[in-house]
Amino acid sequence: MAAPLWSAEAGGGVYRSRDPVRNLRLRVHIQRVSAAGPVPPQAALSPSGGPEGLGLSARTGHGAAGRPPAEEESAELGWQQKLFSQFEVDLYRHESACQTPLDRQYHEEILKLDRAGGRKNRRIFTYTDHDRFTNMEEHGQKVTDSDCEVPSYLAERMANVRRRRQDRKPLDGSSLKSKIITWEPSEEFIKNNHVINTPVQTMYIMADLGPYGKLGQKEYEHVLCTVKVDGNGVITVKPDFTGTKGAYWIELGGQKRELWKYTIENASVQVQREEEEREQRVFRDLYSRHREYLSSLVGSEFETTLPGTLRLLVNGEVVSAQGYEYDNLYVHFFLELPKHWSSPAFQQLSGVTQTCATKTVGWDNVAHFCYPFTLEMFFTQEDKSEECLLHWPVLYFEVLSLDFWQRYRVEGYGSVVLPTSPGLHVLTIPTWRPVELGTVAEMRRFFIGGSPELEDVTYARIPTTFKGKHLSRFGFRTKTTGNVTFRLYCLQQSKAFLETNALRHRMQSVLDRLGGLSQQSSVYNVLEAFHRARRRMQEARESLPQDLISTSASSVWKNPD
């Protein structure tokens, strides 16, 4: 079965390596397969290893009469290792042809090769990053496969990136040569600087496929492989290493059609287990030193909580209030801490916003407060064996209005349970206020100010002084007013967050003891829904005629305790 034909124009491979690029080794094997005629079946040939040093081997056998001899050659190459071609040997052997320092260096190396017995490679040679061929090849690369392609400005600039890096001169640090920031860049400035300058080194592995006995002609030079390495450790090999696809093939035209096959293998020495372990230890030591450096930047002033303690920090904001009857509103709020909760001595648990005039937005009158506040509290679990539903802090507030005569009226009461999950929470809380029957109370509220008030604001929820099992609000009349919007940024801190997953199922941490938070949140949601339904029923009863209202049943509230 004939071997598959894989073109040398196949796509390349991209690799990333943290090792120095000087450890990269490539093994190239090239063989003449056939002269004129169809491609015969090929047997799998393994490239022969070469002697130490260059790793070169060549084998030549005479074929039938009138046919060129069969040839094959192998070479093991290192990164930027120079192998001279026959053309370069003939050129640089004469000192008169050397013009640059690189040419004179090549002249000395060729003289040394002649004294050592000549070069061992015949077909395979290389062009390194500093050779003229590398610059000319990159500058002449096409972007498309069109024969009449004209390189664009960007293509020309990208071809000059690597050469610009080589020709770069060190800047004088005594004075600033250019502006760091150009506030008004011109079109020419944008055109000249819109190029990525990434340091890249290139190496070409070539083959001289000229007729037998007539090596050194430029038209028979063919690129077998292009290797590029950038400053980020990315290695690009085109075409890619020979794998399961088989060898690459090169077909020469002309009077005598010849077919060549070649393979490219990664011959880099694999790291030993001891060296790999030593490298891992070095990396671990490096990472530990970096961690210590970061810890030194943080310092020892970072506050940590005690074991079994949860710290809750709330950066809140009274955003706005809308839907109220009168103008010039302000909000008075305070925080209630349940059992097992505490706050620092300097922490203020209450606050009053500024008086804000309302502004018509749509159908509502809105007062924008944007009043910030900060609340800090701690939860400490004293008895770990105690199994009870955790009470979360509650924020109570009342909305009041102020008139021209400095008389205030209560516009509404409300409460909100602080969110149990960290992050940003935007909450809009409806409010209500107590009312009295008859028009006298409303006239008094309008002309001289004042209205029914709550002696204990916690009565908006469950009073702190209530110790019974059932709380009756029979006969207590209320009226739904507007709503207040809060923006809360919640932060939770506890050493329980540092526990690993393996320890969580064995340790009763503070968060494990707070496992009833989701249950508590559900209970609070149900109670809030019941609150809203009760207020809607109260409003519906007030809107009906008095003779149609029957005796209402008492509202019974259960205490979670």
Side-chain angles (χ1 to χ4, degrees), residues 79-279:
W79 173 246
Q80 298 296 342
Q81 181 178 351
K82 180 63 178 177
L83 295 183
F84 293 99
S85 64
Q86 185 64 42
F87 175 81
E88 291 176 317
V89 171
D90 297 338
L91 175 64
Y92 296 124
R93 181 175 284 119
H94 306 286
E95 188 176 1
S96 59
C98 301
Q99 300 177 359
T100 64
L102 182 63
D103 295 345
R104 288 187 285 271
Q105 176 185 346
Y106 286 168
H107 172 71
E108 297 294 335
E109 293 180 3
I110 289 175
L111 293 181
K112 291 181 182 179
L113 286 177
D114 291 340
R115 290 191 294 267
R119 66 189 185 100
K120 299 179 180 180
N121 59 305
R122 298 302 175 191
R123 299 284 186 178
I124 301 176
F125 63 97
T126 61
Y127 284 125
T128 61
D129 188 70
H130 302 285
D131 290 333
R132 286 190 294 267
F133 173 85
T134 305
N135 293 337
M136 295 173 61
E137 182 71 14
E138 290 193 354
H139 184 75
Q141 285 182 351
K142 292 185 176 182
V143 180
T144 65
D145 55 357
S146 176
D147 296 334
C148 56
E149 174 191 349
V150 177
S152 63
Y153 174 80
L154 182 59
E156 293 179 355
R157 291 299 302 275
M158 292 303 297
N160 294 331
V161 165
R162 189 182 54 79
R163 289 200 297 277
R164 213 170 46 239
R165 176 185 59 84
Q166 292 179 350
D167 300 336
R168 184 177 55 192
K169 298 180 180 180
L171 295 177
D172 185 9
S174 60
S175 61
L176 192 61
K177 299 299 182 181
S178 61
K179 296 181 180 179
I180 298 179
I181 300 176
T182 303
W183 296 105
E184 297 180 358
S186 60
E187 295 183 0
E188 186 68 20
F189 178 84
I190 297 175
K191 185 178 180 181
N192 294 334
N193 291 274
H194 189 65
V195 178
I196 302 175
N197 191 358
T198 303
V200 177
Q201 287 184 313
T202 309
M203 176 182 177
Y204 288 92
I205 302 176
M206 311 290 293
D208 189 348
L209 306 182
Y212 178 72
K214 296 181 180 180
L215 301 179
Q217 301 181 16
K218 298 289 290 185
E219 60 268 18
Y220 289 103
E221 293 184 0
H222 291 267
V223 179
L224 299 182
C225 181
T226 304
V227 184
K228 294 184 179 182
V229 178
D230 63 9
N232 299 323
V234 178
I235 303 174
T236 305
V237 182
K238 183 178 181 180
D240 199 2
F241 297 120
T242 306
T244 57
K245 297 180 179 180
Y248 297 104
W249 300 78
I250 298 178
E251 183 179 359
L252 300 180
Q255 295 179 355
K256 296 182 179 181
R257 290 182 59 249
E258 291 185 353
L259 193 65
W260 294 77
K261 63 179 292 186
Y262 69 95
T263 59
I264 307 170
E265 299 178 4
N266 182 13
S268 303
V269 179
Q270 298 295 328
V271 63
Q272 300 296 329
R273 183 176 181 85
E274 294 79 7
E275 296 180 358
E276 185 177 2
E277 292 178 354
R278 182 167 60 252
E279 183 181 4

Side-chain angles (χ1 to χ4, degrees), residues 285-298:
D285 182 64
L286 177 63
Y287 294 151
S288 62
R289 291 178 181 272
H290 184 64
R291 184 170 58 252
E292 293 176 358
Y293 170 71
L294 295 180
S295 300
S296 64
L297 294 180
V298 175

